[in-house]
Amino acid sequence: MADALSRPGLASRTALAMAAVALLAVLITGAVALPLIPRAAERQARESLAAQAELVAATYEERSDGVGATGRLVRLGRLLQAEDITLSVVGPRGRTTGGPNPDDVRSVLAGESVSTVRETPTGSVFVEARPAVDGGGVILTQPAEVVRDPARGAVRTLLRAMLIGLGVAVVAGVVLARWIAGPLRRAAL
Protein backbone atom coordinates (compact mmCIF):
# COMPACT_ATOMS: atom_id res chain seq x y z
CA MET A 1 0.00 0.00 0.00
CA ALA A 2 2.85 2.40 0.85
CA ASP A 3 4.42 1.66 -2.54
CA ALA A 4 1.19 2.63 -4.33
CA LEU A 5 1.04 5.93 -2.42
CA SER A 6 4.64 6.90 -3.19
CA ARG A 7 4.26 6.49 -6.97
CA PRO A 8 2.54 9.25 -8.89
CA GLY A 9 -0.80 8.19 -10.35
CA LEU A 10 -1.86 8.11 -13.97
CA ALA A 11 -3.47 11.56 -13.74
CA SER A 12 -0.33 13.09 -12.23
CA ARG A 13 1.94 11.53 -14.83
CA THR A 14 -0.38 12.57 -17.66
CA ALA A 15 -0.60 16.13 -16.31
CA LEU A 16 3.17 16.28 -15.98
CA ALA A 17 3.62 15.05 -19.56
CA MET A 18 1.13 17.63 -20.86
CA ALA A 19 2.86 20.40 -18.91
CA ALA A 20 6.22 19.33 -20.33
CA VAL A 21 4.80 19.42 -23.88
CA ALA A 22 3.31 22.88 -23.25
CA LEU A 23 6.63 24.12 -21.86
CA LEU A 24 8.48 22.71 -24.86
CA ALA A 25 6.03 24.42 -27.23
CA VAL A 26 6.48 27.77 -25.45
CA LEU A 27 10.28 27.43 -25.46
CA ILE A 28 10.38 26.62 -29.18
CA THR A 29 7.99 29.47 -29.97
CA GLY A 30 10.14 31.86 -27.95
CA ALA A 31 13.36 30.67 -29.55
CA VAL A 32 11.89 31.24 -33.00
CA ALA A 33 9.78 34.38 -32.47
CA LEU A 34 11.74 36.51 -30.01
CA PRO A 35 14.78 37.16 -32.23
CA LEU A 36 12.48 38.08 -35.13
CA ILE A 37 10.97 41.10 -33.39
CA PRO A 38 14.12 43.27 -33.13
CA ARG A 39 15.25 42.26 -36.62
CA ALA A 40 11.88 43.12 -38.14
CA ALA A 41 11.74 46.44 -36.29
CA GLU A 42 15.23 47.37 -37.48
CA ARG A 43 14.49 46.33 -41.07
CA GLN A 44 11.28 48.36 -41.08
CA ALA A 45 13.03 51.42 -39.63
CA ARG A 46 15.83 51.22 -42.17
CA GLU A 47 13.36 50.83 -45.05
CA SER A 48 11.43 53.84 -43.80
CA LEU A 49 14.63 55.90 -43.46
CA ALA A 50 15.63 54.87 -47.00
CA ALA A 51 12.26 56.02 -48.37
CA GLN A 52 12.64 59.31 -46.54
CA ALA A 53 16.14 59.71 -47.97
CA GLU A 54 14.74 59.22 -51.48
CA LEU A 55 12.09 61.88 -50.84
CA VAL A 56 14.58 64.36 -49.41
CA ALA A 57 17.01 63.70 -52.28
CA ALA A 58 14.23 64.45 -54.78
CA THR A 59 13.51 67.70 -52.92
CA TYR A 60 17.25 68.51 -52.95
CA GLU A 61 17.37 68.04 -56.73
CA GLU A 62 14.39 70.39 -57.16
CA ARG A 63 16.41 73.20 -55.59
CA SER A 64 17.89 73.93 -59.00
CA ASP A 65 14.62 75.62 -59.94
CA GLY A 66 15.60 78.25 -57.36
CA VAL A 67 12.12 78.78 -55.97
CA GLY A 68 11.78 77.79 -52.33
CA ALA A 69 13.73 74.55 -52.50
CA THR A 70 16.09 75.59 -49.69
CA GLY A 71 13.08 76.45 -47.55
CA ARG A 72 11.58 73.04 -48.30
CA LEU A 73 14.81 71.36 -47.17
CA VAL A 74 14.80 73.36 -43.95
CA ARG A 75 11.16 72.40 -43.27
CA LEU A 76 11.90 68.77 -44.10
CA GLY A 77 14.86 68.87 -41.72
CA ARG A 78 12.60 70.11 -38.92
CA LEU A 79 10.00 67.44 -39.63
CA LEU A 80 12.68 64.75 -39.63
CA GLN A 81 14.09 66.01 -36.31
CA ALA A 82 10.71 65.24 -34.74
CA GLU A 83 11.43 61.59 -35.60
CA ASP A 84 15.00 61.86 -34.26
CA ILE A 85 16.41 61.90 -37.80
CA THR A 86 19.28 64.20 -38.68
CA LEU A 87 19.45 65.64 -42.20
CA SER A 88 22.84 66.57 -43.62
CA VAL A 89 23.08 68.24 -46.99
CA VAL A 90 26.16 67.73 -49.17
CA GLY A 91 26.78 70.42 -51.77
CA PRO A 92 28.22 69.60 -55.20
CA ARG A 93 31.66 70.81 -54.05
CA GLY A 94 31.60 68.84 -50.81
CA ARG A 95 30.36 71.55 -48.48
CA THR A 96 28.15 69.99 -45.79
CA THR A 97 25.62 70.84 -43.12
CA GLY A 98 24.87 68.72 -40.07
CA GLY A 99 28.31 67.14 -39.55
CA PRO A 100 27.99 63.91 -41.53
CA ASN A 101 30.54 61.10 -41.57
CA PRO A 102 33.32 61.91 -44.09
CA ASP A 103 33.05 58.43 -45.65
CA ASP A 104 29.39 59.06 -46.39
CA VAL A 105 30.18 62.45 -47.90
CA ARG A 106 32.79 60.87 -50.18
CA SER A 107 30.30 58.20 -51.26
CA VAL A 108 27.62 60.78 -52.06
CA LEU A 109 30.08 62.92 -54.01
CA ALA A 110 31.11 59.79 -55.95
CA GLY A 111 27.44 59.28 -56.89
CA GLU A 112 26.92 56.28 -54.60
CA SER A 113 24.03 55.61 -52.26
CA VAL A 114 24.80 54.53 -48.70
CA SER A 115 22.68 52.23 -46.55
CA THR A 116 24.46 51.08 -43.40
CA VAL A 117 24.63 51.02 -39.63
CA ARG A 118 27.53 52.95 -38.08
CA GLU A 119 28.91 52.79 -34.58
CA THR A 120 29.41 56.21 -33.00
CA PRO A 121 30.50 57.30 -29.52
CA THR A 122 26.81 57.74 -28.64
CA GLY A 123 25.74 54.35 -30.04
CA SER A 124 24.64 52.78 -33.32
CA VAL A 125 23.02 54.92 -36.00
CA PHE A 126 21.23 54.00 -39.20
CA VAL A 127 22.60 55.88 -42.22
CA GLU A 128 20.90 56.43 -45.56
CA ALA A 129 22.59 58.70 -48.09
CA ARG A 130 21.48 59.53 -51.61
CA PRO A 131 23.41 61.39 -54.29
CA ALA A 132 21.85 64.09 -56.43
CA VAL A 133 22.25 64.46 -60.17
CA ASP A 134 24.48 67.53 -59.75
CA GLY A 135 26.99 65.74 -57.51
CA GLY A 136 25.67 66.78 -54.12
CA GLY A 137 23.21 64.81 -52.06
CA VAL A 138 21.62 64.18 -48.69
CA ILE A 139 22.50 62.02 -45.71
CA LEU A 140 19.95 60.96 -43.12
CA THR A 141 20.95 59.42 -39.79
CA GLN A 142 18.80 58.02 -37.00
CA PRO A 143 19.88 56.52 -33.66
CA ALA A 144 19.19 52.79 -33.58
CA GLU A 145 17.85 53.13 -30.03
CA VAL A 146 14.78 54.86 -31.47
CA VAL A 147 13.84 51.46 -32.90
CA ARG A 148 15.35 49.16 -30.31
CA ASP A 149 13.45 50.54 -27.31
CA PRO A 150 9.99 49.79 -28.78
CA ALA A 151 11.25 46.39 -29.98
CA ARG A 152 12.28 45.55 -26.41
CA GLY A 153 8.77 46.46 -25.27
CA ALA A 154 7.29 44.13 -27.90
CA VAL A 155 9.59 41.32 -26.74
CA ARG A 156 8.47 41.82 -23.12
CA THR A 157 4.82 41.77 -24.21
CA LEU A 158 5.34 38.54 -26.15
CA LEU A 159 7.12 36.96 -23.18
CA ARG A 160 4.18 37.83 -20.92
CA ALA A 161 1.74 36.37 -23.44
CA MET A 162 3.83 33.20 -23.69
CA LEU A 163 3.88 32.81 -19.89
CA ILE A 164 0.12 33.30 -19.70
CA GLY A 165 -0.31 30.74 -22.48
CA LEU A 166 1.92 28.31 -20.61
CA GLY A 167 -0.08 28.77 -17.43
CA VAL A 168 -3.37 28.18 -19.23
CA ALA A 169 -1.93 25.12 -20.99
CA VAL A 170 -0.71 23.63 -17.68
CA VAL A 171 -4.09 24.16 -16.01
CA ALA A 172 -5.88 22.71 -19.05
CA GLY A 173 -3.44 19.77 -19.01
CA VAL A 174 -4.19 19.01 -15.36
CA VAL A 175 -7.96 19.15 -15.95
CA LEU A 176 -7.69 17.04 -19.10
CA ALA A 177 -5.41 14.51 -17.39
CA ARG A 178 -7.90 14.03 -14.56
CA TRP A 179 -10.75 13.71 -17.03
CA ILE A 180 -8.85 11.09 -19.06
CA ALA A 181 -7.48 9.19 -16.05
CA GLY A 182 -10.79 8.96 -14.16
CA PRO A 183 -12.50 6.37 -16.42
CA LEU A 184 -9.23 4.42 -16.79
CA ARG A 185 -8.79 4.26 -13.03
CA ARG A 186 -12.38 3.09 -12.54
CA ALA A 187 -11.99 0.45 -15.26
CA ALA A 188 -8.83 -0.85 -13.58
CA LEU A 189 -10.66 -1.42 -10.29
Side-chain angles (χ1 to χ4, degrees):
M1 179 80 168
D3 187 39
L5 292 176
S6 64
R7 284 189 326 195
L10 179 60
S12 299
R13 287 182 294 191
T14 305
L16 185 61
M18 289 183 179
V21 169
L23 177 62
L24 182 63
V26 166
L27 291 175
I28 290 171
T29 300
V32 172
L34 292 176
L36 296 178
I37 293 172
R39 279 190 235 136
E42 184 174 318
R43 185 183 67 245
Q44 183 178 8
R46 290 184 66 189
E47 288 172 359
S48 175
L49 189 62
Q52 290 168 328
E54 295 292 339
L55 175 67
V56 174
T59 301
Y60 175 83
E61 288 177 354
E62 289 176 10
R63 81 189 191 304
S64 61
D65 67 13
V67 183
T70 302
R72 284 193 298 266
L73 280 173
V74 169
R75 283 193 302 276
L76 273 173
R78 284 191 202 122
L79 289 171
L80 292 169
Q81 281 178 340
E83 295 183 42
D84 217 0
I85 298 171
T86 302
L87 167 63
S88 299
V89 178
V90 180
R93 295 185 186 107
R95 189 170 167 190
T96 64
T97 64
N101 182 296
D103 293 336
D104 298 331
V105 172
R106 281 190 286 279
S107 294
V108 166
L109 290 173
E112 301 168 358
S113 292
V114 176
S115 181
T116 190
V117 179
R118 290 211 189 284
E119 293 302 321
T120 68
T122 59
S124 299
V125 293
F126 303 133
V127 179
E128 292 292 335
R130 299 295 181 270
V133 175
D134 69 359
V138 296
I139 302 170
L140 274 62
T141 58
Q142 183 178 37
E145 284 305 309
V146 169
V147 173
R148 291 179 181 152
D149 287 342
R152 286 183 193 113
V155 166
R156 283 191 296 274
T157 300
L158 181 59
L159 283 171
R160 269 186 245 125
M162 289 169 55
L163 289 174
I164 290 169
L166 176 62
V168 169
V170 167
V171 169
V174 168
V175 170
L176 185 60
R178 287 184 179 165
W179 182 71
I180 290 172
L184 294 174
R185 195 176 322 130
R186 283 189 295 277
L189 295 175

